[in-house]
Amino acid sequence: MKLHNVRVHRSEENLARQDQLAWKIAEVAADPVDVSAEVTEMVINRVIDNAAVAAASLTRRPVVSARSQALAHPLPVRELEELTGGHTQDGATVFGEPASLRVSPEWAAWANGVAVRELDYHDTFLAAEYSHPGDNIPPITAVAQHAARAFGLSGRELVRGIATGYEIQIDLAKAISLHAHKIDHVAHLGPSAAAGIGTLLGLSPEVIFQAVGQALHTTTATRQSRKGEISSWKAHAPAFAGKMAVEAIDRAMRGETSPTPIYEGEDGVIAWLLDGKDARYDVPLPEQGEAKRAILDSYTKEHSAEYQAQAWIDLARKLHREHPEAADPSRVDSIVIHTSHHTHFVIGSGANDPQKYDPTASRETLDHSIPYIFTVALQDGGWHHVDSYRPSRAQRPETVELWGKVTTTEDPEWTRRYHSIDPAEKAFGGRVEIRMADGSVITDEIAVADAHPLGARPFARADYVAKFRMLAADVLEPAEIDRFLDVAERLPSLTAAELGGLTITAKPGLLASVPTPKGLF
């Protein structure tokens, strides 16, 4: 890896294009380096993981809404004989719908991106910035399906594109904090998805450079989408970034240009949205010919909750077994979670959001309340992606009583470990102290979630498959579950005609059973 020092430049300095971060990202994307077997296997895992959480969200209102918008932008079927004897067509598939139904790729990226993010249940990477790098998969896959015929694409090119998307978003997240300036983390996703699509299509550095700049320029927004009363836009924000990336690629391929320098300009992103005119960042990027391996630094979720809650759910279910008395509010005086700065101030009591203690709060808000999540997991001994968020569960009197006794506090050591660049030391948990009414104190701690690569039970292919089968069981036919897994596990060898099989079709009548909202289209 090479560190690229990035700073603001005055206009009269005339920063050369090859010295701009967007150009360096474009060069990484255009590098035809092979993808390793280890990275390829993880790409397959994450494609399965995305489909799993999308399946579980097919009938949820934001997903239905996004899907209905996408279906308003269909493309006509244009089937052509391929050398393989199969057929392919323009357009991209939409999760839930038959594979033969195709829509414009930017709208497929939109619908599928919302489906993937709605339950906040797929992969994560946390460093200077937060990210869900699996958000790259919907836009890159949508373009692969749409452009398969014209560009002669196969599963191999799709794997390369996804590897680039992960690489760029994770490398940016390692170096540049957005949340410190209340900018939403999807500002790293627009450029990474554009870069991934550039790799997929084999575009030149010039075209990718312009698309990266446009994608960044159009996807910077505030973090209010993850503050206070959190709305359904939380799921739409990354899908919007993916949609913008597809459109940016399209414009750049037509010769349209972007604001330049987008990062380093004196009126650019760093100068006015991030650390300001005196800022300096060291951004790590692979050198020419170096394999893109960043996906291996990311980790998925066993539980449908904010990533910082994963370890706490695991610790709570352990305490449920070992100390069932701690789940009884009449026997507990207080529960204090000693944790990192982020967990305390973003999803803990340090956020000073009364909604995090509101039994009538939205699912999106409860998903970002560690006091609520720890309480329910402690009382139930586990976590369920639907049942744990039901209003009836949140409003249970004994839960509300215990919930009100849970607070968080920042512990400098856990903050240090949270920001550590040493994978063996980096941690997302902390220590809990439960003071009982009889004067006794229960203490325990956890560093990483059980499913983390360094956790008690790291996720492997069998776990991804099991997660998909569990979440898809009620919405897909058994044969469709098996079909998708077969296609996904053959990803690197898929032909252009087979790329359309990277979707899931709901059980007959399922999608028609939920109301479809009406809008402008």
Side-chain angles (χ1 to χ4, degrees):
M1 300 292 283
K2 181 178 180 179
L3 291 179
H4 299 272
N5 186 261
V6 182
R7 66 172 179 86
V8 174
H9 288 253
R10 299 185 308 277
S11 294
E12 58 266 28
E13 291 183 82
N14 197 25
L15 179 64
R17 177 166 296 184
Q18 64 268 24
D19 294 327
Q20 296 175 28
L21 179 58
W23 182 266
K24 293 169 183 176
I25 289 172
E27 286 186 316
V28 171
D31 185 359
V33 63
D34 288 337
V35 178
S36 71
E38 188 180 15
V39 168
T40 297
E41 286 299 298
M42 189 58 74
V43 168
I44 294 171
N45 288 343
R46 300 306 169 76
V47 167
I48 294 171
D49 201 43
N50 269 20
V53 297
S57 71
L58 286 179
T59 59
R60 293 182 61 83
R61 182 183 53 77
V63 179
V64 174
S65 176
R67 185 169 61 242
S68 68
Q69 289 181 301
L71 295 179
H73 297 81
L75 285 184
V77 173
R78 293 173 55 192
E79 295 188 341
L80 296 174
E81 288 291 339
E82 296 293 302
L83 294 176
T84 60
H87 299 276
T88 190
Q89 63 192 71
D90 294 339
T93 60
V94 176
F95 283 144
E97 299 291 342
S100 58
L101 191 157
R102 301 295 182 98
V103 303
S104 191
E106 77 277 20
W107 284 102
W110 168 253
N112 296 339
V114 174
V116 166
R117 180 58 86 86
E118 166 64 10
L119 291 177
D120 208 346
Y121 201 179
H122 63 323
D123 65 16
T124 302
F125 177 79
L126 305 169
E129 186 49 53
Y130 325 128
S131 66
H132 294 275
D135 292 333
N136 286 280
I137 295 176
I140 298 171
T141 301
V143 173
Q145 292 177 335
H146 174 70
R149 175 181 59 84
F151 284 78
L153 302 178
S154 68
R156 178 180 178 273
E157 285 76 37
L158 178 53
V159 168
R160 293 187 63 249
I162 292 172
T164 292
Y166 272 82
E167 183 69 48
I168 299 305
Q169 187 173 12
I170 288 173
D171 290 344
L172 290 172
K174 287 177 178 178
I176 301 177
S177 175
L178 302 170
H179 71 90
H181 303 280
K182 309 308 177 186
I183 301 300
D184 196 14
H185 68 261
V186 301
H188 288 334
L189 173 62
S192 68
I197 296 169
T199 297
L200 168 79
L201 299 179
L203 301 178
S204 68
E206 170 64 23
V207 173
I208 301 172
F209 166 75
Q210 300 296 350
V212 165
Q214 290 182 34
L216 174 61
H217 189 66
T218 57
T219 57
T220 52
T222 72
R223 278 187 59 83
Q224 190 60 40
S225 58
R226 297 162 211 287
K227 176 73 173 175
E229 184 178 343
I230 302 176
S231 73
S232 62
W233 183 252
K234 182 172 74 74
H236 288 77
F240 180 79
K243 183 173 183 287
M244 291 299 100
V246 177
E247 294 183 0
I249 284 284
D250 179 74
R251 286 189 295 268
M253 290 175 68
R254 298 173 191 272
E256 299 308 315
T257 56
S258 67
T260 305
I262 186 62
Y263 285 101
E264 302 93 342
E266 63 181 347
D267 284 345
V269 170
I270 294 173
W272 289 98
L273 298 181
L274 301 181
D275 280 337
K277 64 180 182 179
D278 297 323
R280 288 182 179 271
Y281 301 102
D282 288 319
V283 180
L285 291 172
E287 297 198 66
Q288 185 76 18
E290 182 179 359
K292 302 174 177 71
R293 297 177 53 83
I295 190 173
L296 301 178
D297 293 336
S298 60
Y299 19 80
T300 196
K301 295 180 177 181
E302 181 180 357
H303 315 293
S304 178
E306 165 78 9
Y307 192 80
Q308 283 83 357
Q310 301 294 303
W312 291 107
I313 292 172
D314 293 333
L315 182 59
R317 65 182 177 183
K318 174 175 179 282
L319 291 169
H320 174 86
R321 297 191 304 269
E322 298 177 357
H323 296 281
E325 68 277 13
D328 182 351
S330 68
R331 302 179 64 180
V332 174
D333 275 350
S334 66
I335 298 177
V336 180
I337 292 173
H338 299 257
T339 188
S340 67
H341 177 277
H342 174 80
T343 304
H344 173 53
F345 284 104
V346 176
I347 64 172
S349 57
N352 295 316
D353 290 342
Q355 296 90 346
K356 294 191 188 304
Y357 290 89
D358 181 1
T360 66
S362 67
R363 183 195 191 281
E364 291 83 0
T365 300
L366 295 177
D367 168 50
H368 280 57
S369 170
I370 197 64
Y372 174 75
I373 292 169
F374 188 82
T375 299
V376 172
L378 181 62
Q379 291 185 329
D380 294 354
W383 194 259
H384 189 271
H385 66 284
V386 175
D387 295 343
S388 297
Y389 291 107
R390 293 189 190 278
S392 58
R393 183 67 196 81
Q395 295 168 26
R396 196 177 295 175
E398 63 270 24
T399 295
V400 175
E401 183 180 355
L402 185 62
W403 181 6
K405 298 180 180 183
V406 180
T407 58
T408 62
T409 186
E410 181 185 0
D411 184 312
E413 175 60 13
W414 288 104
T415 295
R416 185 192 68 79
R417 292 190 63 182
Y418 180 94
H419 292 293
S420 174
I421 61 174
D422 180 356
E425 187 179 53
K426 193 174 184 64
F428 307 106
R431 183 181 80 259
V432 66
E433 293 183 359
I434 305 175
R435 296 192 174 275
M436 306 299 290
D438 63 7
S440 62
V441 179
I442 300 170
T443 62
D444 207 340
E445 66 178 47
I446 190 169
V448 295
D450 291 349
H452 187 275
L454 299 178
R457 296 184 303 279
F459 253 44
R461 174 64 58 77
D463 299 293
Y464 288 97
V465 170
K467 181 177 176 180
F468 176 74
R469 289 189 179 279
M470 176 190 71
L471 294 179
D474 293 334
V475 295
L476 306 185
E477 296 284 8
E480 175 66 358
I481 291 174
D482 292 339
R483 183 207 62 79
F484 174 80
L485 288 172
D486 171 68
V487 173
E489 292 191 301
R490 292 189 295 108
L491 175 58
S493 62
L494 295 181
T495 65
E498 292 176 310
L499 289 175
L502 289 170
T503 191
I504 49 175
T505 301
K507 288 181 176 180
L510 178 71
L511 301 187
S513 69
V514 293
T516 300
K518 301 299 181 183
L520 180 63
F521 306 129

